Each structure stands twice: as structure tokens, then as C-alpha cells.
Amino acid sequence: MSRFVVPFASAILLLQACQAGSVAPEADTTGEFQPLQPGDAQVQIDKQVVQRLQDEHYNPVALDDDFSRDMLLDYIEDLDGTHSVFLASDIERFKREFGDQLDDDLRDGELGAAFDIFNTYQQRRLEVNQWILGLLDKGVENLDLTDAESVTIEREDAPWPADDEARRELWRHNLENQVINLHLNDVDPADIQDRMTRRYESEREQLLAAEPIDVISAYMGAYTHRYDPHTDYFSPSRSEEFDIGMNLSLQGIGAQLRDRNGYTELVRLIPGGPAAKSGKLSPTDRIIAVGQGKEGDLVDVVGMRLDRTVQLIRGEKGSTVRLQILPKDNSQTRTISLVRDEIELKDQAAKSRIVPLEDNGETRQIGLITLPSFYKGTADDVEALLKELREADVDGVVLDLRGNGGGALREVTKLVGLFMPSSPSVQIRDASGNTQVLGANGDPVYPGPLAVMVNRLSASASEIFAGAIQDYGRGVILGQRTFGKGTVQALMPLSKGRVKLTQAKFYRVTGASTQARGVEPDIGFPSPFNTEEIGESALPNALPWDKIDSVSHPQLDTLKKILPELRDRHEKRITDDSDFQYQVKRIDLLRERSERESLSLQLEERREQQAEFRERSLELVNAKRRANGEEPFEDYQAFQDSEDDVATPENPTGESEEEEEPDAYQQEAARILLDTVNLLKARAGGRAI
């Protein structure tokens, strides 16, 4: 399986991804591959990282032959996750020569095997690159896009090609698929030829520009990720990128990126950033081209080093960048325009509004607080909002933590205290087995009805809060199972760069860990996120769920008694809710496409599939619009235009300046909370609660 590391961490917020290693120099002008050799600096990094992890990691592992064999496979997968570059004979040689050796190499600072494998990858990749450029010299019009062939979408479990001929067949299929995607996006055939040639020429330049720091970064990544997915080595340049993110001063689109099999893939959208505000991008979307300004040429970034792609995306505040996006399901590409901006604290601050609901002929009010992250001052801001909502005499409060990847631990314990009298919030256990219990003291600011919204991207501090509220029976949890990030990391300096390592784990007051399993909602909403691709449990070598002793804590059972009725009312209501059903059916349609195992390499068949997808998408959105009394879209292009409004400096997200209405899930959360209020009052004989 290819590596998928999402560094959600309590008190850690990355604003942009970076590639380990320094910015690549100009390519070797000779055009000849020069094998890389380790130097003293790389040996020193190896020894320091190994020592740090052996001495200070929460979950120490034995450096033995079993570890060596597992790490070897991880390193190979990190380099060639699609099993399309190395030959089967290469893999057999690596296993034979290095299978039981890497544990000894790590202790001794010996990097011969690390560089041998990396150099072999570079050589094999250049062989493929040269062959592809030869095909392109003959013209893309000579590719046969009519034969009954297909390309496998995910090749993580496929065998490595037996020989060069089999490998060329894989890459020919890959090239044909890339060309078909451009045809489906109505790119002119002459431009397709130029774009594909530039793509592979650029890739060749970058392969020839590799440096020893690239090798040690990849090798140390394979080593550190054997401990857990959040332990990592940061090269000097990556450390600098990390500091930029921590200072919240990066001017860009506000997205965390990673390099996956030659594609720049979105991992997380930073709350308050242009990418998140646009509503047009999602995790696992892939950026295939970047353009400057409203009219600048799109520069193909497939195969480009991630640090170079990031440089293209960044720019001055207020300037426009265009991103050409290829969805995970390989459907039609689309171009998104965003205006670069600084992601400031105020953009991530808690906000509130009142959601009016009709209930038996009268208007009831539910307060809605959205909290994108846990920043310094979170609890104070939410306290002020709660007081305003109480003054407005709301019937209950919904706290929306969807997409909240965590943040300051101190803030989440204070936040729990706003809703509960003096009580523990979370337990933290370190590597020595010592457990610390954290909580807040004092009376609650808001003791009334509460619902908490979460989704698969709610992580760390969000899970601590939702878990505590659920364990106390203080509120109803709505949405999807959370990320499952239940570990604590710290940064340690090295002579060259830094290492981030796991030092502790979070536990709920019941003693159950939030690690791997996350928090299961009381009432589930359909999720657009595939749990096999996103979440702690999807990460290789994630630390396991476990349990420690519980701590004394108050428990209310009133909500448990009415949960069956709440679920029943919810299920009946959403069957007639056009907005909610649109979300459900749209998710089902996208998931149907994303679960395909292969794609046809017949251009006309792909055009027919694209037309069918557009027709079904248009039918879904128009059914919703008719139900809401809105004029249906005339065609798919009109629908697409409505979703791809171009941002301007005056309106950097492309959003309406009017206050945005609560989405379908927020509306339903408010209705569930109102049901809660009514049922509890009925059980109390009509008395106020």
C-alpha cells in the first residue's frame, strides 16, 4: 500500500504541504544519470533519527530482521506505490541482498542499501521516461484509443512487471489514459501533444536533479513510519515550511498537499483559507496543472516535485491562481480559480448564527456555532457566543466540528467546561505509563440542550470534546465516525532538520482510546469520505486502539433513553428532505464512480460514460431545485458554471456576500436537537429543562 500520512496533531496546524529535501537545482545538463552517493551529513541524520526514536518514542520497536524486512517493503512502496517502475527482478534482488540488513544499517549509519534502491528507481524511471518521450515523438494521434483495453486504477496490490516489455505495456496504458482525460476536458489535440511532451520532459529534468537529501528523506520516512504514521523526519527545508505553517503567515490557497504516485493530491483544506471557503475542492482531489492569473497558461504539474508545485501555487496576497483538478474517480477535470490570501486567526474563529425552525405552527430557534479549529482563545470566543445565544433565548445549541483537525489541548478542556460542571475531559498516558487527567473547574456557561456535529475529518481535540460530551450523556453526537487521531507528537531538533515523534496517547474518561476508532456518532449522516482512504485506520502502522482505567465522571442516561425515537424521527424526516436526499444521492453517485477498479481505454466509450455521469448529476440537482421551487438548470454546463464561480479580489472565494444558509446537515442537526428538546420536555411532564 502506498503511504498516506496526514499529520493531524494536537497543537499542530500545517498550512501547506512540502516535499522533504531542498529545492531542486537545475537538471544535469549532460542528460546522463549520475548515481547518488551518501555523505557525512546523511550518515549523521540517520544516526540521530534512529537514536531519537529508540530512546523517546511512545511505542519503541525492536530493530531486528523482521523490522528490516518490513521496512524494506515500505521503502520500496514509498518509491513505487503503483508497482510500475521497478521490475520483479529488482524486487527479488532487494529482498535477497537487503532483506535482513537494514536493521544493522540503521544502527551503523550505513546507507549503501538506501542509495542502491533509490538509484535503481531513478534509473528505471528514466528508462520509462525516455521510452514515453519516444512514443510522443511519433505524435499522440498515433496512439490507438479504439482498442478494447483498460487501465487498472489502483495498482498497490498488483505484481511488479516481469520484464521491460510488460512495464512498457503498463506505461502505454497510463499514457493513453492521460491523453483520454485531456480529450474529455476538450483540450485541443495539438495542445495535448505539447502538454504531454512538456510533462515528461519536466519529469526527466527533475529525476536528473535529485540530491542525496532526497534519498535520506525518503529512507528516513520509511523508517519513522514503521513506528507510526505521525512520526516523521523533517529535512531543513521541510522544517522551514513547517514553521511557516505554524506562524499562520503563508500566502497561498490554504491546503495541505502530498505527492502520491506522481500526482499532487489534496490531503486537507485549512479552515478559513481560500480552498476551504470555495467549497469546490475535496481531499483526494489531484492538482494536474497550475495557471497564474485569470489568463495565464496552465503549467502541467503531473510528475513534478511537490516543492516546485507548491512554489507555483503560492504567490502574492490578492493574486489569482488557477488549478486544474482531476477527481479521484478520474471523471472530467475542472479548473478552479482562487485568490491567494493569508490564513489569519480570525478566519478560523468560532462563528454563530440562529437557525429558525417551524414547529407545530410556531417558530423555534436553535443556535449554531461553527468551530473550524482549536486556536488560542477558542474557549473565550465560544463562551461569548454562548452568552449571546442564551440572551436570544434559543431552544438549544448545535456545535459544528466538521473538518476541525484539532489544535490547542488546553482550549478543548476549557471548552468542555463551558457545557459541564467541574469534570475531567481527557486522560493522557506517556511512554512510561504515567497518566495525567485534564479538566476544567467551575460552573457551565451553557447547561442547555446540545448537539455536536463531526465528520471523518474531525480529529484530535475535536474527538476529545465529542468523546467527553458523549461519555457524559451531555449531548447528542451527529455525523460520521471521526478520524481517530489519538496520539500526541513533539518536535525534536537534529543537526540537519528535525524529527517529529509520538510521545503519548489520548484516552476518554471511560478509559477508551480515541486512537484508530475515533468517536462513533449517536446518529449517522452519509459521508463523502471513504474510510478506507481517509482516517487513522487507513494509515499504515497506525498505533492500535486500547483501553486504560476509567476516571470517575458524571453520567446522564436521559439521552440514551430517547435515542431510538430520535433516530426514527430522523429517518422518517429525511426521506422527504430534498436537500438532504440530494447529498445522499450525490455521495452514492460519486462513490459508485470512485469504486471502479479499471477504466476503458476506448475514447468513445469514455465519452459515453462521461455523458451518462453528467446526465445523472443534472437529474439529481434539478430534482432538488424543483422540490425547492427553483428553476432547473438548462444543461450540465449551466450547473457546472454555478459551481465554478470565479473568485475576484473583491470576493476571493466566489461566494455570495449574503450570509450563507445552513447546509442540509446543519439543518437536520438543528431539527434533531429540537426533537431532543421536545422529547425531554414530554418525559419531564412538560416542565422546562
Side-chain angles (χ1 to χ4, degrees), residues 434-459:
N434 301 315
T435 302
Q436 180 183 12
V437 180
L438 301 181
N441 298 318
D443 295 325
V445 171
Y446 177 77
L450 174 67
V452 180
M453 298 181 69
V454 293
N455 67 3
R456 191 60 171 171
L457 299 182
S458 302

Side-chain angles (χ1 to χ4, degrees), residues 44-61:
Q44 189 176 32
I45 290 169
D46 175 291
K47 290 183 175 180
Q48 290 178 345
V49 172
V50 171
Q51 191 66 49
R52 281 286 194 185
L53 267 62
Q54 287 289 293
D55 292 345
E56 302 181 51
H57 196 275
Y58 177 83
N59 184 44
V61 298

Side-chain angles (χ1 to χ4, degrees), residues 515-589:
Q515 173 64 16
R517 294 186 184 180
V519 176
E520 181 71 26
D522 298 311
I523 298 178
F525 292 170
S527 174
F529 305 113
N530 186 340
T531 56
E532 294 183 359
E533 294 184 350
I534 296 177
E536 187 79 8
S537 58
L539 304 180
N541 306 318
L543 295 183
W545 179 90
D546 62 346
K547 190 172 184 179
I548 61 175
D549 292 338
S550 64
V551 295
S552 178
H553 61 281
Q555 289 178 285
L556 306 173
D557 64 355
T558 50
L559 285 177
K560 284 186 178 180
K561 293 177 180 178
I562 65 170
L563 270 177
E565 177 67 15
L566 288 177
R567 293 188 184 109
D568 185 58
R569 291 189 180 194
H570 160 69
E571 292 295 337
K572 290 178 179 177
R573 183 168 48 242
I574 62 173
T575 57
D576 298 321
D577 187 325
S578 58
D579 289 340
F580 199 97
Q581 286 302 313
Y582 172 71
Q583 296 296 330
V584 173
K585 293 174 181 177
R586 178 71 174 171
I587 288 170
D588 289 343
L589 177 59

Side-chain angles (χ1 to χ4, degrees), residues 42-110:
Q42 288 76 54
V43 171
Q44 189 176 32
I45 290 169
D46 175 291
K47 290 183 175 180
Q48 290 178 345
V49 172
V50 171
Q51 191 66 49
R52 281 286 194 185
L53 267 62
Q54 287 289 293
D55 292 345
E56 302 181 51
H57 196 275
Y58 177 83
N59 184 44
V61 298
L63 290 184
D64 55 21
D65 288 350
D66 287 338
F67 181 93
S68 176
R69 288 187 286 269
D70 289 338
M71 180 184 158
L72 173 64
L73 293 178
D74 287 351
Y75 185 39
I76 293 169
E77 291 285 351
D78 286 349
L79 294 174
D80 185 16
T82 60
H83 295 199
S84 60
V85 177
F86 288 126
L87 300 176
S89 57
D90 295 325
I91 305 303
E92 290 304 313
R93 180 175 75 84
F94 297 153
K95 290 179 179 179
R96 182 176 62 254
E97 296 183 8
F98 308 132
D100 298 335
Q101 178 181 319
L102 298 189
D103 55 323
D104 299 316
D105 286 355
L106 287 163
R107 279 189 292 263
D108 299 338
E110 172 56 52

